[in-house]
Amino acid sequence: MLTLILMGASGLLTSCSNDDDNSTTEPATQMLQDGEWTGSGEGRSGSIIAKVAVKNHEVAQVTIVSQSESVFAQDAINDIVARATGRKDVMSVEVDGVSGATLTSAGVIGAINMGILAAMGKQKEGAKTYQDGTCDIVIVGAGGAGLSAAVAAAEADGKQKIIVLEKQGIIGGNTNYSTGGINAAETDVQREQGIEDSKELFYDDIMRGGKYENIPSLVRSLVEYAPVTITWLRGLGADLTDIGLMGGSSVKRTHRPKGGTAIGPHLMKVLKEASEKENIEIRTSNKVTELLTTMDGRVTGVKVENIDGSSYQLTSRAVIIATGGFGANLDMVTRLQPSLSGFATLNHPGATGDAFGWVTAIGGATIQMANIQIHPTAEATNHILITEAVRGNGAILVNHEGRRFCNEMDTRDVVSTAILAQTGGEAFLVFDQGVRKSLASIETYANQHLLSEGTTVAALADGVGIPAQALEESISRYNIQQKAGRDEDFGRRATQMTVALETAPYYAVRVKPAIHHTMGGLSVNAETQVLRADGTPIPGLYAAGEVTGGLHGANRLGGNGVADIVVNGRRAGLAASQAR
């Protein structure tokens, strides 16, 4: 039996280890500061991210915003969240030490712990400060791109000293929140499942989805190296055996864990374990503020701010920037794209675009910075991303009048525009029990209380306030067309209409578009080198992931974001390991 000790609003959430451990943890009494605070913990299947909302110095709400634990573990998650919310007293929670529940519970407690510590203005015990030092490769950002780069570089040369710097108190960045999967064509997994695909078709889909604003060489590189990256990740222990369909893709090519479990937490677990195996040093709460250069313009390291505000320099022969985009910097977003003023963001709070200032200061170029993507299906109240895979597995969109209004599997920009044109600028994502059972990610939404449910279509309509007859007619017509393999109303292809919606109960999520991905960024070449305005590479400087621009053009396809970070993160690591 594992005993978990919870302290609510006025104290620290703690956990004891096992029954034979007699150690105790004294609760902290420092007042919590109002606001929203984020923390992470390690569950059985990957990172668990919790958001702790504090109001009047009390824990008003705890939300698990990202996790990939099994359905079996959901009751344990819900129980701990319920007991942690709104309390000031210490409470002991006993969790049976059976497979899944113990590790999951410890992960949830760790995540809430970290959020409460942040609300107290504290960090984890034992947080270090650092002095000037040297290494072979510095990687800025500990998300999917940064850790892919680190592991690849370490594998290429095990004698290198690699240090990853992360300004947040937790690793993972936006990768923690990713649910969809990794796009790749001509993979072993596709062949094993009889899926016919080609790199050329993948290339054409990306270019068409990006409105041909994409840099062709970057697209060619992604398409070429994607399948070998899938093989590489599987070799590290990633489960990518489930293949789904995302908007804008001609065929199923989105690789994800079995059952459609969220890719992000699983990927971060795999990369974190691989980083530990390779003895890669990861420093959290270490904020890079400047790039170091020689007189001739070569990058030779970084200036870093310690957790206590002091600074140090870290010199190296190569620097990889993997800091992600700027989707959480709403001032920057609206300055570049005024039409997005007032939109919510789906990005983690660290996605503020710090790197653009460092790089432009030494002559680096940016590209397509105004190309900012909104995702069509963010839950309308809590602004939680509802993965495109729900539509890929069969869901439809209806408006407040109960009618379909678009091809749900069109590209994100097209679907977002269609939703914004509806009453209230929002819509309802509607699906049945068959779709829910087909995609494990939906269980996360259920546990976040995002789903409305009805035993019949009419009951669902009544519950969400739309005309029952109209919704019944819309679903009936869709089911007839699905069985005929032809969407006469909006052109959804037969391969995108995977199931009829006819298995009760029925579900709906109210959605509206929100800021999701910044497609512009640092100008790079196909070798991941950062470029100057004249197109020449800056020696010693590489970049990968959302911080770069040009790959996705005017619109990113679902499944290409994670493909970008792992494919180009790996390639940046390999390139930097050869820099001299």
Side-chain angles (χ1 to χ4, degrees):
M1 187 78 72
L2 177 71
T3 300
L4 307 174
I5 307 298
L6 297 180
M7 169 68 75
S10 62
L12 175 66
L13 201 66
T14 63
S15 65
C16 301
S17 54
N18 289 303
D19 287 344
D20 57 358
D21 183 351
N22 296 317
S23 64
T24 60
T25 302
E26 291 296 323
T29 57
Q30 184 170 337
M31 182 178 291
L32 302 181
Q33 300 302 307
D34 287 3
E36 292 186 346
W37 311 93
T38 301
S40 73
E42 287 300 313
R44 173 173 289 277
S45 301
S47 298
I48 296 171
I49 310 297
K51 181 170 67 176
V52 178
V54 177
K55 185 176 181 180
N56 297 326
H57 309 297
E58 295 184 353
V59 176
Q61 184 177 10
V62 174
T63 305
I64 304 300
V65 297
S66 176
Q67 55 96 1
S68 58
E69 301 302 286
S70 67
V71 173
F72 170 84
Q74 300 307 314
D75 286 344
I77 294 174
N78 294 341
D79 183 53
I80 292 170
V81 168
R83 293 170 184 254
T85 303
R87 297 189 64 94
K88 293 183 178 180
D89 56 316
V90 177
M91 174 172 40
S92 175
V93 181
E94 294 185 344
V95 179
D96 290 337
V98 295
S99 176
T102 300
L103 293 177
T104 297
S105 299
V108 174
I109 293 223
I112 300 173
N113 250 344
M114 186 177 288
I116 288 179
L117 280 170
M120 292 176 180
K122 296 182 177 182
Q123 300 290 332
K124 286 194 258 185
E125 290 184 13
K128 296 180 180 179
T129 57
Y130 299 89
Q131 306 296 320
D132 291 354
T134 63
C135 63
D136 293 291
I137 300 173
V138 170
I139 300 170
V140 189
L147 293 196
S148 292
V151 173
E155 289 179 340
D157 183 351
K159 297 179 181 179
Q160 297 180 110
K161 182 178 181 181
I162 300 166
I163 297 178
V164 182
L165 303 172
E166 170 56 54
K167 75 173 183 178
Q168 299 292 102
I170 62 176
I171 69 170
N174 273 343
T175 308
N176 284 330
Y177 303 92
S178 179
T179 52
I182 306 172
N183 283 351
E186 298 185 20
T187 67
D188 292 340
V189 186
Q190 283 180 313
R191 282 188 283 271
E192 290 164 4
Q193 297 184 18
I195 298 172
E196 294 185 9
D197 196 5
S198 71
K199 293 177 181 177
E200 197 61 32
L201 182 59
F202 187 17
Y203 175 88
D204 290 343
D205 284 346
I206 296 174
M207 295 298 293
R208 182 171 57 254
K211 303 187 186 302
Y212 300 97
E213 292 184 20
N214 324 61
I215 305 300
S217 61
L218 300 183
V219 179
R220 288 288 182 195
S221 179
L222 179 77
V223 167
E224 183 61 35
Y225 289 98
V228 69
T229 304
I230 294 293
T231 301
W232 176 69
L233 288 171
R234 294 181 76 191
L236 295 178
D239 173 11
L240 300 173
T241 54
D242 188 300
I243 304 182
L245 182 69
M246 301 286 265
S249 291
S250 297
V251 298
K252 289 185 175 182
R253 64 167 68 100
T254 306
H255 297 65
R256 58 200 186 192
K258 183 179 179 180
T261 299
I263 183 65
H266 176 67
L267 180 61
M268 287 310 305
K269 177 180 174 67
V270 169
L271 292 174
K272 181 175 181 288
E273 290 175 349
S275 297
E276 292 169 348
K277 181 179 178 181
E278 297 290 348
N279 296 313
I280 294 163
E281 182 180 355
I282 301 174
R283 300 178 181 179
T284 56
S285 300
N286 274 237
K287 181 180 180 180
V288 171
T289 59
E290 186 180 333
L291 294 172
L292 307 178
T293 60
T294 59
M295 292 295 292
D296 62 359
R298 182 180 184 86
V299 172
T300 57
V302 293
K303 185 176 180 179
V304 193
E305 184 179 282
N306 270 309
I307 190 171
D308 64 358
S310 62
S311 295
Y312 68 96
Q313 293 188 353
L314 194 57
T315 59
S316 62
R317 56 181 172 79
V319 173
I320 300 172
I321 298 178
T323 51
F326 56 92
N329 187 336
L330 297 183
D331 289 340
M332 188 173 179
V333 166
T334 53
R335 185 173 69 251
L336 290 165
Q337 192 58 265
S339 63
L340 296 180
S341 177
F343 277 65
T345 184
L346 295 169
N347 289 256
H348 82 106
T352 52
D354 303 0
F356 299 110
W358 325 325
V359 177
T360 55
I362 65 168
T366 60
I367 185 173
Q368 300 177 351
M369 291 293 285
N371 285 357
I372 300 169
Q373 182 179 71
I374 55 177
H375 195 288
T377 55
E379 194 276 329
T381 301
N382 299 290
H383 314 304
I384 293 172
L385 174 67
I386 306 298
T387 177
E388 203 162 304
V390 180
R391 284 173 280 144
N393 280 33
I396 62 172
L397 287 166
V398 301
N399 54 26
H400 276 273
E401 291 70 43
R403 304 295 184 185
R404 286 182 70 213
F405 54 88
C406 70
N407 174 355
E408 294 87 352
M409 294 305 295
D410 214 324
T411 54
R412 289 175 174 176
D413 57 331
V414 172
V415 178
S416 294
T417 299
I419 292 175
L420 291 171
Q422 305 307 306
T423 301
E426 59 186 31
F428 294 92
L429 186 66
V430 177
F431 53 95
D432 70 347
Q433 181 66 17
V435 173
R436 178 173 177 174
K437 289 179 63 177
S438 74
L439 192 66
S441 296
I442 295 176
E443 296 311 310
T444 299
Y445 310 141
N447 283 282
Q448 292 169 320
H449 308 291
L450 304 182
L451 306 184
S452 296
E453 180 177 341
T455 54
T456 65
V457 173
L460 178 66
D462 289 342
V464 298
I466 60 179
Q469 183 177 345
L471 183 59
E472 287 175 327
E473 291 173 353
S474 294
I475 291 180
S476 176
R477 179 167 176 78
Y478 177 80
N479 287 343
I480 290 170
Q481 294 184 132
Q482 187 275 333
K483 291 172 182 176
R486 183 179 180 184
D487 180 4
E488 297 178 351
D489 297 331
F490 301 103
R492 187 165 171 170
R493 292 193 297 270
T495 55
Q496 300 171 333
M497 303 168 71
T498 51
V499 293
L501 304 177
E502 53 191 8
T503 305
Y506 296 88
Y507 304 94
V509 183
R510 188 166 62 92
V511 296
K512 65 191 310 179
I515 297 163
H516 183 46
H517 191 93
T518 50
M519 295 163 293
L522 300 178
S523 180
V524 294
N525 60 22
E527 285 70 47
T528 71
Q529 295 172 296
V530 178
L531 304 178
R532 303 184 180 95
D534 63 4
T536 59
I538 299 174
L541 187 61
Y542 305 83
E546 193 176 351
V547 74
T548 67
L551 169 62
H552 305 295
N555 177 70
R556 177 175 69 78
L557 298 186
N560 276 0
V562 186
D564 180 12
I565 64 175
V566 293
V567 171
N568 290 315
R570 175 175 176 267
R571 298 204 66 228
L574 294 174
S577 69
Q578 298 172 1
R580 294 294 183 269

